[in-house]
Amino acid sequence: MSAVLSFDPRTGEQASTGPSTSTPADVEDACRRAVAASAELAALPRDRRAAFLDACADALDAHRDAIVPIADSETALGVPRLEGELRRTTYQLRLFADAVREGGFLEATIDHAGDTPMGPRPDLRRMLVPIGPVAVFGSSNFPLAFSVPGGDTASALAAGCAVVVKAHSAHPRTAAACLDAFQRACAATGVSADTVQLVFGRDAGVTLVAHHSIRAVGFTGSLTGGKALLDVIAGRDEPIPFYGELSGLNPFVVTPGAAAEQGERIADELFLSFTNGAGQFCTKPGLAFVPVGREGDSLVARLRASVEADATHHLLTEGISRAYAEGREQLGSAAGVEELAHGSESDEGFSATTSIVGLAARDLTDAVAQECFGPVTVVARYDDLDDLVRALTVPPSSLTTTIRGTEAEREFVARVVEVMHDRTGRFVFEGVPTGVAVSWAQHHGGPWPSTNSLHTSVGVTSVRRWLRPLAWQSAPASLLPEELRDGPMAIPRRIDGVLVASAG
Amino acid sequence: MSAVLSFDPRTGEQASTGPSTSTPADVEDACRRAVAASAELAALPRDRRAAFLDACADALDAHRDAIVPIADSETALGVPRLEGELRRTTYQLRLFADAVREGGFLEATIDHAGDTPMGPRPDLRRMLVPIGPVAVFGSSNFPLAFSVPGGDTASALAAGCAVVVKAHSAHPRTAAACLDAFQRACAATGVSADTVQLVFGRDAGVTLVAHHSIRAVGFTGSLTGGKALLDVIAGRDEPIPFYGELSGLNPFVVTPGAAAEQGERIADELFLSFTNGAGQFCTKPGLAFVPVGREGDSLVARLRASVEADATHHLLTEGISRAYAEGREQLGSAAGVEELAHGSESDEGFSATTSIVGLAARDLTDAVAQECFGPVTVVARYDDLDDLVRALTVPPSSLTTTIRGTEAEREFVARVVEVMHDRTGRFVFEGVPTGVAVSWAQHHGGPWPSTNSLHTSVGVTSVRRWLRPLAWQSAPASLLPEELRDGPMAIPRRIDGVLVASAG
């Protein structure tokens, strides 16, 4: 057993000793406790489960002054960004509490006994039930919103599943501080303290995913990390679902009309989007398509000026910093690619120099169309729609596709939508792809390699990942879950084929 | 290229030459065509897609006199059963057509732009879209309802995905006859003839699952076969979802009260359920728990009498026949197991002798708690509730759990429900588990090894398997799918968090 080290990215120094790594016995113990806690949480009436989610949000809010400085010291993301991230995190927990009260996520369905062309049909009732303990792998880049108290944890708790989080090594003390908030929420609402648990260390993560009690895995991280965990799952006796949010190049298309009419604004938005959080967003636009010619040139000139004036960023870890330097070098040495501009350089801590590189869209290759975590983007200049469409088929599928066009270019934009329809999870027509709103309609996912699932990891419908259907045939009312009994019920249900919004 | 042989199970003779096995080039060609056909089907307005499903049902009905005799000659399941199966199949297609018109399966969700604690939220709209070409592996035991025109095909077409079916070797000519009906439906409704295609041969099935154009696989069959295809998927560059309906022991519990009050009726229903279709149902009750004592004895005596009077059955293939004989032998030689009765014996064709074996519930082991495809069931006699509960934890999870109890035994039954909650996909409280009704509330699935998915393969919600979410942020109305535009819409939608049943 050794300590998990905690570093300050601004200096590269070890700032303090973090929690201890978890032993195999620790993981075994956590899984055993999670089984009991999961059963308890699943048995809790929905209003109490919702109250627990609200209490988690309240506890995180109450611990803001403890959590944010620790997170800042471990991530260098800055206090304003981290306060915003905590607001997002608690909003998310409260939105899930609302969704649990509303009950539509249960997909409660009742078919009364009846006659069909197949003969008599028995009474059948169905709803979704929690699958059991879930392992969550938090990401490095969102120490709050996609880590211990993040979307995977919130949605799993909403579904009624206990969670064992493998803390990300980039922010172990932040993870421990968030766990503390959860445990206060458990105590305040009479929920088992084992409902959210934490393990530390890479080996513990592997042991966790391999453990027979774990029923699903939520993961936000690299494609390489995701594939490694998929291999662990392949070695299990029982396969379990793995929901990996893995990578994103996030093409950003500027039409000729948009370059002409809003070139400066788009350049500024794009600059902020690819440098925000030191470019460490899964939805960072890593590949911008800009038309050749005067208006495109103006847009790029504006972008260069912003990049050249940009201060040095600090990346989350030494590993990310090293990978970024290598990624920039690979981009710069690819055929047809030239560096257009870079920001100020520094050697202090896990530093990163902002950069844009350029090439002709027709020269775009797999080697260039790769995600590079950090403040860099590739500007591909295209001649016309045909040139653009050809280039758009080069990159792998992505979480998002942004298309900045004008009213008058409806056909141009529609053609890009058509080409990207099967290659993306979300289309963005105004603004930028970063800043993934938490809402009912949000979708954060997409075709491989952006994710490996047909689900979202952000928004209310992310709850579906932790649920399975269960049916009751000809059941006495007393053995049915409350939500499936006859009579009025203040949740949406489908009764004899007809969706009844509430009080069915 | 060789011919797929077609056998008559009643004689074991090769009845005629079937279609040719598909070459790798055939599979490549089918996949290429499926990509184009899938895009066309996805682009079809919902009412036209629904009309196509109805036309498929009509064409199958119109070909009844051609299909049923071929299916009977290849399966020995008998004309009445096969006519019923075709009725089920066409009912299913028409129910899916209704569901496509109703539109709830799209999960259309609209969040208008607004303010949140996180700041302003853009306009976000989301619905489910088809994932693309689907490979379907039909099962041997339902040549119609779970094969070429079965639930996987019907639900994939309803989702808007073209289908390439790997025909089961147990009924190649039936598969070809069903494809003919589909092609007539395509011609009648102006839908591409490549919307449903057929490939033959085991190698063709492997090539199909490995093909980059295939976006998901539906499989009904053995655990061994399912695992083999999972290995093929693990070797792909891009993982794809595999929906395997794999195995089922389907425990059938008779309480002391039910044995006393309805013992004879339950014995008769159980007998029919485990011998129906020669016991080749995935929901066959393969393990019955009967109380010790006089009432249990009476039930078992009645069961023995039925078994002893039963004629020889014919199984679907020589392989299933051989596996059944081996399975019976293994059961019979297991510790503590004795044969209670068997039916008439015959060597003709792929014959199978009906059988029941018995043991004390406390002697139940993994070796006995195994699915054995064919007309056999295990009767485990239990002393009391504790003895029963212990024994119920021995078998693997199942598609169904049947509990035949009485009003007065509410606590006994509730305890069994509690134990089996995480081990089953459907509870049955009256009747038998065989005969899986097609409806909105049906669930045919369950924890591993019954399936490997959190979805159902029967009923309307099976459509969800072939869909993925797609979101549109700040999209102009003209670029949105019709179902996501503002204004009244005759489908259920969730608008600003509120589910609106229709005409929102």
Side-chain angles (χ1 to χ4, degrees):
Chain A
M1 194 163 70
S2 58
V4 178
L5 304 181
S6 173
F7 291 91
D8 181 344
R10 292 186 178 94
T11 61
E13 301 296 315
Q14 184 186 331
S16 76
T17 302
S20 299
T21 55
S22 307
T23 64
D26 293 338
V27 177
E28 176 67 37
D29 186 53
C31 290
R32 193 180 46 76
R33 289 167 182 272
V35 169
S38 218
E40 276 180 45
L41 187 66
L44 223 52
R46 276 184 301 112
D47 57 346
R48 284 202 53 207
R49 202 194 298 165
F52 169 60
L53 290 166
D54 281 335
C56 292
D58 294 344
L60 286 162
D61 275 341
H63 282 56
R64 175 186 305 269
D65 294 344
I67 293 169
V68 167
I70 297 175
D72 185 47
S73 75
E74 290 191 311
T75 65
L77 288 171
V79 167
R81 145 72 193 268
L82 289 163
E83 287 193 333
E85 206 181 312
L86 192 62
R87 262 198 305 282
R88 174 198 176 87
T89 302
T90 56
Y91 173 69
Q92 179 165 260
L93 283 159
R94 293 187 178 105
L95 181 63
F96 281 124
D98 290 344
V100 168
R101 287 186 197 97
E102 196 257 0
F105 75 102
L106 297 171
E107 298 182 10
T109 306
I110 299 174
D111 290 331
H112 291 101
D115 281 317
T116 74
M118 291 159 57
R121 185 191 62 210
D123 184 281
L124 275 166
R125 298 168 193 237
R126 169 193 192 272
M127 68 177 216
L128 301 180
V129 299
I131 49 169
V134 165
V136 168
F137 284 69
S139 70
S140 60
N141 56 339
F142 283 88
L144 307 175
F146 289 86
S147 190
V148 176
D152 282 347
T153 299
S155 57
L157 295 176
C161 301
V163 172
V164 184
V165 184
K166 188 270 176 186
H168 198 285
S169 57
H171 49 262
R173 291 185 304 124
T174 309
C178 291
L179 185 74
D180 188 44
F182 275 115
Q183 292 194 324
R184 283 169 199 252
C186 291
T189 51
V191 167
S192 164
D194 301 327
T195 304
V196 182
Q197 297 177 87
L198 206 49
V199 298
F200 293 92
R202 179 181 294 249
D203 291 349
V206 170
T207 308
L208 182 64
V209 170
H211 198 281
H212 62 89
S213 296
I214 295 298
R215 310 314 305 159
V217 180
F219 176 86
T220 306
S222 70
L223 187 54
T224 314
K227 282 179 174 171
L229 289 181
L230 276 169
D231 285 346
V232 175
I233 289 176
R236 287 175 57 109
D237 284 342
E238 303 188 17
I240 53 173
F242 175 81
Y243 302 107
E245 198 269 80
L246 301 171
S247 75
L249 191 58
N250 304 299
F252 187 106
V253 175
V254 184
T255 67
E261 289 179 22
Q262 324 155 30
E264 292 198 354
R265 182 155 73 88
I266 292 173
D268 292 348
E269 291 180 14
L270 177 59
F271 170 72
L272 285 176
S273 185
F274 90 82
T275 57
N276 197 354
Q280 300 165 112
F281 277 54
C282 37
T283 53
K284 181 196 84 171
L287 177 60
F289 290 95
V290 175
V292 296
R294 194 167 50 84
E295 280 94 358
D297 290 346
S298 301
L299 190 158
V300 172
R302 175 96 175 183
L303 206 50
R304 289 168 70 160
S306 297
V307 167
E308 279 160 7
D310 203 30
T312 308
H313 292 270
H314 290 95
L315 298 172
L316 294 157
T317 67
E318 191 175 3
I320 292 173
S321 174
R322 201 167 39 232
Y324 178 68
E326 289 168 7
R328 263 187 78 195
E329 203 173 297
Q330 276 173 31
L331 275 180
S333 62
V337 172
E338 59 168 343
E339 183 164 67
L340 300 177
H342 67 259
S344 75
E345 295 177 317
S346 154
D347 281 342
E348 199 176 10
F350 307 148
S351 64
T353 302
T354 304
S355 168
I356 46 170
V357 301
L359 82 169
R362 80 180 68 84
D363 291 337
L364 193 67
T365 59
D366 286 353
V368 179
Q370 294 277 344
E371 184 177 24
C372 178
F373 215 54
V376 62
T377 199
V378 175
V379 177
R381 305 292 298 270
Y382 65 89
D383 294 331
D384 54 24
L385 181 57
D386 285 346
D387 191 31
L388 173 64
V389 163
R390 260 193 315 271
L392 281 169
T393 63
V394 173
S397 296
S398 257
L399 294 163
T400 69
T401 297
T402 302
I403 314 171
R404 300 292 296 266
T406 61
E407 279 282 323
E409 296 170 303
R410 201 50 60 79
E411 282 184 29
F412 189 107
V413 173
R415 178 82 180 104
V416 175
V417 167
E418 190 188 356
V419 172
M420 297 305 291
H421 188 277
D422 290 346
R423 302 169 189 270
T424 201
R426 175 165 53 104
F427 283 113
V428 179
F429 296 96
E430 290 176 19
V432 294
T434 46
V436 184
V438 176
S439 82
W440 289 84
Q442 186 57 281
H443 174 50
H444 189 59
W448 180 267
S450 42
T451 67
N452 74 323
S453 95
L454 305 183
H455 293 276
T456 178
S457 62
V458 176
V460 176
T461 55
S462 63
V463 176
R464 179 61 181 88
R465 297 174 296 164
W466 321 116
L467 298 163
R468 70 177 178 97
L470 185 59
W472 288 258
Q473 180 171 325
S474 308
S478 66
L479 290 173
L480 285 169
E482 187 191 4
E483 290 90 347
L484 288 180
R485 292 182 193 157
D486 286 330
M489 177 65 55
I491 65 169
R493 301 195 291 187
R494 189 177 284 278
I495 301 178
D496 297 324
V498 178
L499 197 63
V500 181
S502 76
Chain B
M1 195 165 72
S2 58
V4 178
L5 304 181
S6 173
F7 291 90
D8 180 344
R10 292 185 178 93
T11 62
E13 300 296 317
Q14 184 187 331
S16 77
T17 302
S20 299
T21 55
S22 306
T23 64
D26 292 338
V27 177
E28 176 67 38
D29 185 54
C31 290
R32 193 178 47 76
R33 289 167 182 271
V35 170
S38 218
E40 276 181 45
L41 187 66
L44 223 53
R46 278 186 300 114
D47 58 345
R48 285 201 53 205
R49 203 194 297 165
F52 169 61
L53 290 165
D54 280 337
C56 292
D58 293 344
L60 286 161
D61 274 343
H63 283 57
R64 176 186 304 269
D65 293 345
I67 293 168
V68 167
I70 296 175
D72 185 48
S73 75
E74 289 192 312
T75 65
L77 288 171
V79 167
R81 145 75 192 266
L82 289 163
E83 287 193 333
E85 206 182 312
L86 192 62
R87 261 198 306 281
R88 173 198 176 87
T89 302
T90 57
Y91 173 70
Q92 179 164 259
L93 283 160
R94 293 186 178 105
L95 181 64
F96 281 125
D98 289 345
V100 168
R101 286 187 198 96
E102 197 256 358
F105 75 102
L106 297 172
E107 297 182 11
T109 306
I110 298 174
D111 290 332
H112 291 100
D115 281 317
T116 74
M118 292 159 55
R121 186 190 61 210
D123 184 281
L124 276 166
R125 298 169 191 237
R126 170 193 192 270
M127 67 178 219
L128 301 180
V129 299
I131 48 167
V134 165
V136 168
F137 284 69
S139 70
S140 61
N141 56 340
F142 284 88
L144 306 175
F146 289 86
S147 190
V148 177
D152 282 346
T153 299
S155 57
L157 295 176
C161 301
V163 171
V164 184
V165 185
K166 189 273 177 182
H168 199 286
S169 58
H171 50 262
R173 292 186 302 124
T174 307
C178 291
L179 185 73
D180 189 44
F182 274 114
Q183 293 196 322
R184 283 171 198 251
C186 291
T189 51
V191 166
S192 164
D194 300 327
T195 305
V196 182
Q197 298 177 84
L198 206 49
V199 298
F200 293 92
R202 177 180 294 249
D203 292 347
V206 171
T207 307
L208 182 65
V209 169
H211 197 281
H212 62 89
S213 297
I214 294 298
R215 310 314 306 160
V217 180
F219 175 85
T220 306
S222 70
L223 187 53
T224 314
K227 281 179 173 171
L229 289 182
L230 276 169
D231 285 344
V232 175
I233 288 176
R236 287 176 57 111
D237 284 341
E238 303 187 18
I240 52 173
F242 176 82
Y243 302 107
E245 198 270 79
L246 301 170
S247 74
L249 190 60
N250 304 298
F252 186 106
V253 174
V254 184
T255 67
E261 288 179 23
Q262 325 154 28
E264 292 199 351
R265 183 155 73 89
I266 292 173
D268 292 349
E269 291 179 13
L270 176 59
F271 170 72
L272 284 176
S273 185
F274 89 82
T275 57
N276 197 354
Q280 300 165 111
F281 277 56
C282 36
T283 53
K284 181 196 86 170
L287 176 60
F289 291 95
V290 175
V292 296
R294 194 167 49 84
E295 279 94 357
D297 291 346
S298 299
L299 190 158
V300 173
R302 176 95 175 184
L303 206 51
R304 290 167 69 159
S306 297
V307 168
E308 278 160 6
D310 202 30
T312 309
H313 292 270
H314 290 95
L315 298 172
L316 293 157
T317 67
E318 191 174 3
I320 292 174
S321 174
R322 200 165 42 230
Y324 178 69
E326 289 167 9
R328 265 187 76 196
E329 204 173 297
Q330 275 173 30
L331 275 179
S333 64
V337 173
E338 60 166 342
E339 182 163 70
L340 300 176
H342 67 259
S344 77
E345 294 177 316
S346 154
D347 281 342
E348 200 176 10
F350 308 147
S351 62
T353 302
T354 305
S355 167
I356 46 171
V357 301
L359 83 170
R362 79 181 68 84
D363 292 336
L364 194 64
T365 58
D366 286 352
V368 178
Q370 294 278 347
E371 184 177 23
C372 179
F373 214 55
V376 62
T377 200
V378 175
V379 177
R381 305 293 298 268
Y382 65 89
D383 294 332
D384 53 25
L385 181 57
D386 286 344
D387 190 32
L388 173 63
V389 163
R390 260 193 315 272
L392 281 169
T393 64
V394 173
S397 295
S398 257
L399 293 164
T400 70
T401 296
T402 302
I403 314 170
R404 301 291 298 264
T406 61
E407 279 283 322
E409 296 169 304
R410 199 50 58 80
E411 282 182 31
F412 188 106
V413 173
R415 179 82 181 104
V416 175
V417 166
E418 190 189 356
V419 173
M420 296 305 289
H421 187 276
D422 291 344
R423 302 167 189 270
T424 200
R426 175 165 53 106
F427 283 113
V428 178
F429 296 94
E430 290 175 18
V432 294
T434 46
V436 183
V438 176
S439 82
W440 288 84
Q442 185 58 279
H443 175 49
H444 188 60
W448 180 268
S450 43
T451 67
N452 72 324
S453 97
L454 305 183
H455 293 276
T456 177
S457 63
V458 176
V460 175
T461 55
S462 63
V463 175
R464 179 62 182 87
R465 297 174 296 165
W466 323 115
L467 298 164
R468 70 178 177 99
L470 185 58
W472 288 257
Q473 181 172 325
S474 309
S478 66
L479 290 172
L480 285 169
E482 187 189 6
E483 290 89 347
L484 288 181
R485 293 184 194 156
D486 285 330
M489 176 66 55
I491 65 168
R493 301 195 290 186
R494 187 176 286 276
I495 300 178
D496 297 325
V498 178
L499 197 64
V500 180
S502 75

